[in-house]
Amino acid sequence: MSVRIVRLKSGEDVISDIYEVTSNAEKEEDKQPVAYQLRFPFTIWINGGMEAEVDGEIQKLSDPEVAMEQWLPLCKHDHIFLKLDEVTAAYETHDSVIEQYTKLIEAKMNGEREANPPEGEE
């Protein structure tokens, strides 16, 4: 998994398993990036802000609450392709955020398996 947070041109932050999609050139060195594939994308944000003002002084919050929500919940698939110019930045995040994201994806996948049993196992 290559979990990253991408900042979109819209200002939205999306966490996902991200892969670069390249052109179909015959030689490896001729392949050019054409898009990003986001697998299991979730919108991510921080509730409550990163700083709090107490008695006129700004103090950093030590444990901000990170919230995630499925991005494009009506999408038929668990992946989407984005044009390169839609992404302004992609970056690694803290391990604790990746752990929270991974647990969310595992729960989603387990829930789908239970809700949609293979044919003949109903």
Side-chain angles (χ1 to χ4, degrees):
M1 253 191 180
S2 180
V3 177
R4 302 283 188 273
I5 294 178
V6 294
R7 168 72 50 100
L8 304 180
K9 279 177 30 177
S10 65
E12 195 172 19
D13 289 322
V14 177
I15 188 169
S16 72
D17 188 12
I18 185 171
Y19 294 89
E20 191 175 74
V21 179
T22 58
S23 61
N24 287 338
E26 289 184 29
K27 294 181 181 177
E28 192 65 36
E29 62 269 7
D30 292 338
K31 291 185 178 188
Q32 298 294 319
V34 294
Y36 293 110
Q37 181 185 40
L38 304 182
R39 296 180 186 171
F40 306 107
F42 278 74
T43 302
I44 186 168
W45 68 94
I46 297 172
N47 278 334
M50 289 295 289
E51 297 177 346
E53 190 170 327
V54 178
D55 296 327
E57 292 184 28
I58 295 177
Q59 298 180 348
K60 186 176 177 182
L61 296 176
S62 58
D63 288 323
E65 180 184 335
V66 176
M68 296 180 210
E69 184 175 275
Q70 187 173 355
W71 191 56
L72 305 174
L74 300 177
C75 186
K76 182 177 181 177
H77 304 286
D78 286 328
H79 65 274
I80 188 162
F81 295 92
L82 287 179
K83 295 187 301 183
L84 294 176
D85 65 350
E86 291 298 318
V87 175
T88 60
Y91 58 93
E92 292 182 52
T93 187
H94 296 280
D95 291 338
S96 60
V97 175
I98 292 173
E99 283 179 35
Q100 183 180 348
Y101 170 76
T102 303
K103 287 178 185 175
L104 190 61
I105 295 306
E106 288 171 354
K108 181 182 183 309
M109 291 175 69
N110 288 335
E112 285 181 358
R113 284 191 203 121
E114 292 170 11
N116 300 317
E119 289 183 30
E121 291 187 18
E122 294 183 64

